[in-house]
Amino acid sequence: MEILKTYKLYIGGQFPRTESGRSYQIQSASGQAIANACLGSKKDIRNAVQAARKAQASWAAKSAFNRSQIIYRIAEMLETRKGQFIEELVLLGHSNATAVAEVQSSIDRCIYYAGWADKYQALSSSVNPVSSPHFNFSVPEPMGVIGVVACQETALIGLISQILPLIVGGNSVVVIANTTKALCAISFAEVLATSDVPGGVVNILTGEVAEMLPTLAGHMDVNALSLAKIKDHLSRNAQEAAIDNLKRCQLYNLDYFDSKNQGLHFITDFQEIKTTWHPIEQIAGGTAGY
Amino acid sequence: MVQLKDQYELFINGQWQAPKAKKYFATINPSDESHLSNIAWATEADVDLAVKSARNAYENVWSKLSGAERGKYLFRIARLMQEKARELAVLETLDGGKPIKESRDIDIPLACNHFFYYAGWADKLQEAFAGQQIESLGVAGQITPWNFPLLMLAWKIAPALACGNTVVLKPAETTSLTALKFAEICQEAGLPAGVVNIITGYGDTGAALVVHPDVNKIAFTGSTAVGKQIQKACIGTDKKLTLELGGKSANIILEDAAIDQAVEGVINAIFYNQGHVCCAGSRLYVQESISAQVIEKLKFRLQSIYVGNPLDKNTDIGAINSKKQLETIEKYISLGREEGAEIYQPACQLPSKGYYCLPTLFTDVAQSARIAQEEIFGPVLAIQTFRTIDEVLQKANNSPYGLAAGVWTDKGARIFGLSSQLRAGVVWANTYNKFDPASPFGGYKESGFGREGGVHGLSAYLKITN
Amino acid sequence: MQPKYTPQELLVRLKSAPPIDQIGTHERISKIQSRSLKGPAKLHGLRLALSMIDLTTLEGKDTPSKVRQLCFKAQHLHGINPDLPKVAAVCVYPTMVGVAKKALENSTIKVAAVSTAFPSGQAPFEVKKLDTLYALEHGADEIDMVISRGHFLAGEYNYVFDEIAAIKALCGSARLKVIFETAELDSLDQVRRISDLAIAAGANFIKTSTGKIQPAATFPVVLTMLGAIKDHFDKTGQMIGMKPAGGISSAKIALQHLLLVKEVLGEAWLTNEWYRFGASSLANDLLMQYQKQLTGKYQSAAYFSID
């Protein structure tokens, strides 16, 4: 007799149950119950945002190189657990071949974004040639805590494609996972937990988008939203709730299997640009050099 | 000095057209409340016409031109602006109230240079986004404020055109004249009809533009409250949006600062342009060990600030832009007194006509005071002391806004330390209120999103995919 | 005026205090913590908690300017909700009492001064006396004194008693809070003993901690102290106030305190006349929770001024 796994939430680096004490069934493609997952609540969102805010500053303060190392490790851990993910995808109704392809693409995408960690800055910053005697430079900075509604069509590749560019850029995230295919999201949380990703940088909640998104979208301490394709009225309400603290909202409706749907702008979509000026002292007799 | 028409029409499709509803409104000179001209009031029908012209110009002309060709038009416009610099400066001062030396030495040159700068980008866009696919957006609807009318117009139109878009722009109702002059310049430059359309009017005109279904991009500079309404109006559309909103920027003097220069920087930060600056350093934080000294110096410096006729070259602080704005500022000054802060204003005779306000300092202000939290948009400075850098960093960031910040210290490592921790889109270290076309400008949090200026200013006007 | 006790009488009194069972105490607390406050009751609780705060700054680096800013915050907790209650008091070092008094001259907020060589209390009695007199001379409405923990742990109960009584005698109309620094005490039994002792010696309020070390106002300690207050009231009809201080960082915890008070002591203690929170960051958390109740949205610290 197997001991079926309990799929819990991932908040602050831990796996708590939902404070609401409720669960829902994840079903296989043929309608069989495969597992119980937590039905996340508003208070879970509240706790997740708290954890995300707490973790964000020190995540952003790590060296870019350090972040790249951690994200490479995610790829390595994902590789190690490939079998588990393939199995879960098959249970959810994919063919073996498709499942293998999705897991492989996911690993590749992790590696891809890991490589960006210490490079996107160079391509999105500038030293600006101002006319006055000032040194002027612009650098990207993470927006902060980002609320994510993960791709509701794919179980793994969408989730990874949405989360990675955000955390590579020093943000922390609160993710509402794919409701019906939540297995891979929580397994991915286990990968994160064993990859040196500090607790709170990624928080993953399972449950109903309709229940959790309003709280996330209205939360005054969330800086931006990344919304995959969901029902129009849910998206609309979320964008309206977001206005109170001027959250930056990005809507994505992409086929993440397409390799062109990864890139620099997915990172810079969640970066602020800060420009700094400082006077340059005009040194007398400045003919040295040329 | 300048030739003012009695009445200005709308600039649509390269021509001056009367507003459909035949309504006009007066624009006055805030320095003496005298009447300047009558401005057309565009209604929905005019907005629609303008957008149609912009769309037509985009589909049939502008999007078919090479970047190099677009660039040449922008160069031409820049050059013509330079040639008419004097006239533009005087118009700006008459219409808005800012001192002539500011419009002449700062607003107009920066506006011209902004066109020069983006002219050069027009044929190099792909290189700015190497490896990515870029496209122009189409028609951009732009709404500009009354504090830097022509400069904000340049910040909006130059990148939009460089990136291959066409434009419908609505200037602020109290300051339409330089935008209308700019329209004349577009005609003179031979800019194809419909590429730039200027529709004057009040907030309703702007609102009609924002909700127009055939606009692909909205750019707005103004208050946070209106910015939020605009964000709401864009939901469910595919319109790209950038907002440049209010601020309550912290200006921080550490005890090891070059004090006299810092004092000058503070003056510049809050009294430049009558304090009508979204990034004004309106919260001063001075380290307690030097606070008495700094405040004394500030008070002394206020004695040599001249408030008066904006057309006088010696004037430092000109007229407040409108009666409404003056009332708002006075309301906050009263509030500051009520809140128990100590007020200081230099003795100064203000003109009997026109809208004027004395430069004002409030000392002994607390973080919880409303005058330290809410944007006043006038020559009023709220001064607080702090003890440690930790404390001032927390307090500087303890705001819904995040537009700019100032840091005054002589220690290099500290400059970098502070500037990296301040949550603001622009950090001025040992300087303040400096602008340049090559320098990206914009806010964090409720000060808005998106950047204007520099290479980063291009992304607002392009669709970027992989 | 409190009755004087001979050392033997005092010992007898103290011995008659019941022993405290730690586990039982914890169980009672769990029951309180499982209560749920919602809607109007929660709003009421948040407002009540706000009105009970002694807004505190006790830093070596405090300056008059800092204290003035704190006093402003005390009077203006949250600009967009001007009809919120004011805090009960500000709590500062004696050297800052004059500044605070002046800054609060147009309000009913009290000025409490820590004294008697706060926080350690390790100083000759003469110093403690001067400390207290200085604060009183500059207008302190309340004195928060510390007990001599060393003497207490050495069993010198009379010494501790006399010290409290002597400071009380200086206070006049000012109310005296006696700080136990429970983190330095050994057991809940000791907490009960010092509570009885301080009450007998003339304390108007008994207070858990200086806030300088952890753990500070834990629930078992608070419950124990409330028990002493209740027993004293039952015997004499006299009310004594309670001030937990330190470690009350969230609105949730503050509300649990109120629930505890209501069930153990009764409604009469649910005013800032008899209950205070020694806290600094609690105020903003209460405000954030209050705003959340009003708008339905969780809040961000950037919207609440810090002081």
Side-chain angles (χ1 to χ4, degrees):
Chain A
M1 189 175 89
E2 297 169 62
I3 301 181
L4 282 179
K5 185 161 126 183
T6 312
Y7 284 85
K8 296 191 278 177
L9 307 173
Y10 180 58
I11 298 178
Q14 318 244 306
F15 290 88
R17 286 185 193 284
T18 163
E19 64 76 47
S20 66
R22 308 164 306 169
S23 63
Y24 71 103
Q25 246 181 28
I26 310 266
Q27 297 184 336
S28 71
S30 54
Q32 254 184 308
I34 337 175
N36 285 325
C38 287
L39 195 59
S41 71
K42 297 184 222 193
K43 290 207 178 139
D44 295 320
I45 293 280
R46 173 200 63 192
N47 296 341
V49 172
Q50 236 172 1
R53 175 60 66 199
K54 200 157 161 219
Q56 195 268 325
S58 51
W59 176 240
K62 282 190 189 298
S63 69
F65 179 73
N66 202 203
R67 279 198 296 281
S68 80
Q69 292 292 289
I70 291 174
I71 299 181
Y72 272 124
R73 188 134 181 87
I74 296 177
E76 283 167 10
M77 297 314 296
L78 201 48
E79 175 82 56
T80 313
R81 288 159 157 261
K82 218 153 83 167
Q84 178 191 355
F85 283 94
I86 292 170
E87 224 179 88
E88 285 174 350
L89 284 166
V90 166
L91 264 176
L92 290 169
H94 296 77
S95 72
N96 198 65
T98 323
V100 168
E102 182 165 352
V103 177
Q104 196 51 60
S105 300
S106 301
I107 296 168
D108 290 347
R109 193 141 292 165
C110 284
I111 296 172
Y112 173 80
Y113 277 116
W116 265 126
D118 54 358
K119 302 174 185 72
Y120 74 87
Q121 299 84 337
L123 295 187
S124 58
S125 49
S126 52
V127 170
N128 306 306
V130 295
S131 312
S132 48
H134 292 89
F135 185 67
N136 177 309
F137 60 100
S138 300
V139 296
E141 281 195 351
M143 282 182 180
V145 173
I146 321 285
V148 178
V149 175
C151 176
Q152 298 288 304
E153 264 115 66
T154 58
L156 184 61
I157 186 74
L159 176 72
I160 287 187
S161 302
Q162 277 179 273
I163 296 180
L164 285 179
L166 272 47
I167 62 174
V168 155
N171 297 291
S172 58
V173 299
V174 174
V175 185
I176 300 175
N178 180 325
T179 306
T180 53
K181 302 189 182 183
L183 291 191
C184 294
I186 295 303
S187 297
F188 184 65
E190 291 169 10
V191 164
L192 293 170
T194 48
S195 304
D196 289 332
V197 177
V201 173
V202 179
N203 304 273
I204 301 180
L205 286 78
T206 53
E208 294 292 343
V209 173
E211 181 172 355
M212 291 188 280
L213 182 55
T215 303
L216 187 59
H219 200 302
M220 299 295 276
D221 204 23
V222 170
N223 301 100
L225 294 177
S226 163
L227 301 178
K229 177 129 177 62
I230 51 179
K231 292 204 172 70
D232 272 341
H233 74 277
L234 288 179
S235 174
R236 203 198 160 83
N237 291 342
Q239 290 177 74
E240 273 185 37
I243 290 173
D244 251 356
N245 68 328
L246 225 81
K247 288 180 185 66
R248 292 86 163 100
C249 298
Q250 296 284 353
L251 275 52
Y252 298 103
N253 184 12
L254 300 171
D255 171 16
Y256 286 110
F257 283 103
D258 191 334
S259 63
K260 79 169 170 53
N261 285 322
Q262 64 184 22
L264 175 59
H265 73 92
F266 289 99
I267 300 175
T268 56
D269 272 354
F270 292 94
Q271 298 288 306
E272 295 284 352
I273 299 295
K274 173 192 283 179
T275 302
T276 305
W277 298 65
H278 193 279
I280 299 176
E281 198 170 79
Q282 312 275 265
I283 304 207
T287 54
Y290 295 104
Chain B
M1 231 179 338
V2 284
Q3 290 286 55
L4 274 174
K5 296 192 213 169
D6 281 334
Q7 182 173 290
Y8 286 88
E9 311 298 345
L10 305 171
F11 184 68
I12 299 178
N13 208 33
Q15 296 170 335
W16 295 103
Q17 308 197 23
K20 295 259 187 276
K22 307 246 186 294
K23 288 195 298 178
Y24 295 81
F25 60 95
T27 191
I28 61 159
N29 181 345
S31 75
D32 62 7
E33 299 170 60
S34 63
H35 176 90
L36 290 174
S37 183
N38 291 315
I39 311 288
W41 192 332
T43 53
E44 230 178 285
D46 304 302
V47 172
D48 190 49
L49 191 58
V51 173
K52 283 194 163 73
S53 311
R55 172 65 58 198
N56 194 38
Y58 174 75
E59 300 291 345
N60 300 317
V61 183
W62 201 240
S63 64
K64 298 193 153 81
L65 287 179
S66 68
E69 287 300 301
R70 295 199 301 273
K72 285 187 205 164
Y73 279 111
L74 290 168
F75 274 123
R76 228 189 256 176
I77 289 174
R79 191 61 84 199
L80 284 167
M81 284 173 74
Q82 268 186 335
E83 280 160 21
K84 298 176 196 301
R86 176 76 192 272
E87 192 180 352
L88 287 167
V90 172
L91 259 183
E92 196 77 298
T93 287
L94 282 177
D95 206 13
K98 66 172 69 197
I100 187 69
K101 71 174 179 200
E102 280 176 15
S103 29
R104 178 195 65 198
D105 296 342
I106 302 174
D107 290 55
I108 306 312
L110 277 177
C112 297
N113 295 354
H114 218 83
F115 276 96
F116 274 115
Y117 177 79
Y118 278 104
W121 268 122
D123 57 350
K124 304 173 184 69
L125 298 175
Q126 189 59 78
E127 278 160 284
F129 296 94
Q132 296 169 81
Q133 209 174 313
I134 54 170
E135 283 168 46
S136 55
L137 297 170
V139 174
Q142 307 178 320
I143 299 172
T144 49
W146 47 259
N147 58 346
F148 293 92
L150 187 66
L151 182 57
M152 292 300 103
L153 176 152
W155 280 23
K156 301 266 179 298
I157 295 187
L161 263 46
C163 291
N165 307 285
T166 56
V167 155
V168 178
L169 183 139
K170 188 207 93 69
E173 58 269 18
T174 57
T175 52
S176 315
L177 293 179
T178 43
L180 295 165
K181 189 85 213 157
F182 178 80
E184 286 175 21
I185 289 173
C186 288
Q187 279 181 317
E188 225 183 295
L191 190 67
V195 173
V196 167
N197 304 273
I198 308 283
I199 47 164
T200 46
Y202 277 78
D204 54 331
T205 311
L209 182 56
V210 165
V211 303
H212 196 292
D214 201 28
V215 169
N216 306 100
K217 151 109 199 142
I218 300 288
F220 171 79
T221 298
S223 71
T224 293
V226 175
K228 287 182 178 178
Q229 286 172 22
I230 293 178
Q231 190 175 2
K232 183 161 183 193
C234 289
I235 294 174
T237 71
D238 278 322
K239 291 176 188 166
K240 276 192 70 157
L241 177 63
T242 48
L243 296 174
E244 210 270 275
L245 309 176
K248 190 74 181 181
S249 304
N251 202 358
I252 303 169
I253 305 184
L254 272 61
E255 62 189 358
D256 68 344
I259 294 200
D260 288 323
Q261 285 70 49
V263 167
E264 200 53 33
V266 169
I267 298 293
N268 182 39
I270 186 59
F271 301 127
Y272 168 61
N273 203 34
Q274 294 72 254
H276 299 151
V277 187
C278 44
C279 50
S282 47
R283 283 187 285 160
L284 174 61
Y285 288 96
V286 55
Q287 198 148 22
E288 191 163 351
S289 49
I290 52 162
S291 61
Q293 196 189 4
V294 168
I295 290 169
E296 267 319 294
K297 284 179 186 265
L298 276 172
K299 289 179 180 173
F300 180 70
R301 179 64 179 87
L302 255 55
Q303 314 298 334
S304 43
I305 290 190
Y306 300 115
V307 185
N309 181 3
L311 280 173
D312 183 337
K313 284 181 222 177
N314 280 312
T315 294
D316 299 313
I317 295 184
I320 301 300
N321 186 263
S322 66
K323 183 157 187 240
K324 183 157 164 257
Q325 189 57 31
L326 182 58
E327 279 164 11
T328 301
I329 298 169
E330 284 171 346
K331 187 190 87 179
Y332 276 105
I333 294 180
S334 295
L335 180 62
R337 287 185 210 261
E338 266 168 53
E339 287 186 323
E342 231 184 84
I343 188 174
Y344 177 80
Q345 291 173 319
C348 179
Q349 186 84 344
L350 293 178
S352 53
K353 284 212 94 187
Y355 315 124
Y356 292 92
C357 179
L358 285 172
T360 306
L361 304 177
F362 277 108
T363 53
D364 221 21
V365 180
Q367 182 80 355
S368 333
R370 284 181 57 196
I371 58 168
Q373 293 178 49
E374 296 173 28
E375 189 179 37
I376 298 174
F377 222 65
V380 180
L381 179 64
I383 304 178
Q384 295 180 54
T385 56
F386 69 93
R387 284 125 293 275
T388 61
I389 295 181
D390 231 6
E391 181 190 346
V392 76
L393 203 48
Q394 269 191 53
K395 287 184 172 171
N397 289 338
N398 175 230
S399 165
Y401 293 117
L403 188 47
V407 175
W408 299 85
T409 167
D410 207 43
K411 191 170 182 186
R414 194 165 282 165
I415 291 169
F416 284 109
L418 271 166
S419 64
S420 63
Q421 301 273 25
L422 285 163
R423 292 284 154 257
V426 182
V427 178
W428 283 296
N430 289 322
T431 185
Y432 209 97
N433 272 341
K434 292 271 173 281
F435 308 98
D436 192 280
S439 178
F441 182 93
Y444 284 34
K445 304 194 281 189
E446 291 201 23
S447 291
F449 43 79
R451 295 294 177 265
E452 294 181 297
V455 63
H456 297 90
L458 293 171
S459 27
Y461 289 99
L462 292 167
K463 185 167 162 189
I464 301 158
T465 50
N466 273 28
Chain C
M1 207 45 192
Q2 290 299 307
K4 293 271 194 276
Y5 301 97
T6 64
Q8 293 81 356
E9 281 171 333
L10 185 61
L11 227 40
V12 166
R13 261 188 82 88
L14 294 181
K15 281 207 169 112
S16 75
I20 308 292
D21 182 79
Q22 186 201 56
I23 302 303
T25 303
H26 287 197
E27 284 176 5
R28 181 74 181 89
I29 289 160
S30 303
K31 291 214 180 95
I32 297 287
Q33 288 177 324
S34 66
R35 294 236 186 278
S36 166
L37 268 182
K38 300 246 185 263
K42 188 166 184 183
L43 275 172
H44 176 75
L46 292 169
R47 293 176 70 96
L48 188 56
L50 276 170
S51 73
M52 290 172 165
I53 293 182
D54 280 1
L55 204 58
T56 302
T57 184
L58 294 169
E59 304 289 315
K61 60 185 177 182
D62 283 340
T63 64
S65 223
K66 168 85 171 97
V67 171
R68 279 197 291 272
Q69 289 178 27
L70 187 80
C71 291
F72 190 91
K73 171 82 177 175
Q75 298 171 84
H76 303 92
L77 286 175
H78 193 208
I80 64 173
N81 281 320
D83 69 338
L84 285 169
K86 305 276 179 282
V87 301
V90 304
C91 186
V92 294
Y93 273 108
T95 41
M96 296 294 152
V97 168
V99 172
K101 254 338 232 184
K102 179 116 206 324
L104 293 169
E105 65 192 347
N106 294 320
S107 90
T108 52
I109 298 174
K110 307 218 178 351
V111 176
V114 296
S115 83
T116 64
F118 176 100
S120 72
Q122 293 282 8
F125 181 71
E126 279 311 302
V127 170
K128 299 189 191 188
K129 186 171 157 188
L130 267 172
D131 206 15
T132 307
L133 285 174
Y134 185 94
L136 290 164
E137 269 157 36
H138 286 82
D141 303 293
E142 300 172 357
I143 296 289
D144 287 29
M145 70 170 284
V146 290
I147 61 160
S148 296
R149 280 86 78 192
H151 284 281
F152 181 77
L153 289 168
E156 293 161 23
Y157 302 129
N158 273 84
Y159 183 94
V160 178
F161 179 99
D162 289 342
E163 206 174 46
I164 297 172
I167 298 296
K168 173 72 176 155
L170 298 174
C171 280
S173 58
R175 295 177 88 196
L176 178 66
K177 301 189 196 101
V178 179
I179 305 173
F180 300 157
E181 196 66 312
T182 52
E184 289 181 340
L185 301 182
D186 204 25
S187 64
L188 293 175
D189 301 279
Q190 287 202 331
V191 173
R192 174 64 197 233
R193 187 170 298 144
I194 184 62
S195 301
D196 286 344
L197 188 155
I199 291 172
N204 298 112
F205 264 82
I206 50 178
K207 177 172 167 183
T208 60
S209 335
T210 62
K212 292 301 176 191
I213 59 175
Q214 294 297 322
T218 61
F219 278 111
V221 157
V222 171
L223 181 55
T224 303
M225 289 165 71
L226 292 180
I229 292 175
K230 181 72 164 79
D231 285 349
H232 180 77
F233 178 77
D234 285 346
K235 277 197 199 119
T236 67
Q238 184 194 29
M239 287 174 79
I240 302 292
M242 171 70 194
K243 178 173 171 179
I248 307 161
S249 53
S250 75
K252 184 171 173 184
I253 292 176
L255 290 174
Q256 287 171 346
H257 275 267
L258 297 182
L259 287 165
L260 196 58
V261 171
K262 182 171 178 187
E263 297 199 6
V264 174
L265 293 179
E267 303 252 359
W269 269 266
L270 282 177
T271 81
N272 63 15
E273 183 74 0
W274 300 106
Y275 207 83
R276 298 284 180 83
F277 290 108
S280 37
S281 56
L282 176 63
N284 273 358
D285 196 56
L286 286 166
L287 293 171
M288 281 170 63
Q289 296 311 313
Y290 192 80
Q291 192 65 12
K292 195 265 168 190
Q293 286 296 109
L294 294 181
T295 63
K297 296 187 168 186
Y298 290 109
Q299 298 296 307
S300 153
Y303 292 77
F304 297 84
S305 62
I306 53 179
D307 244 311

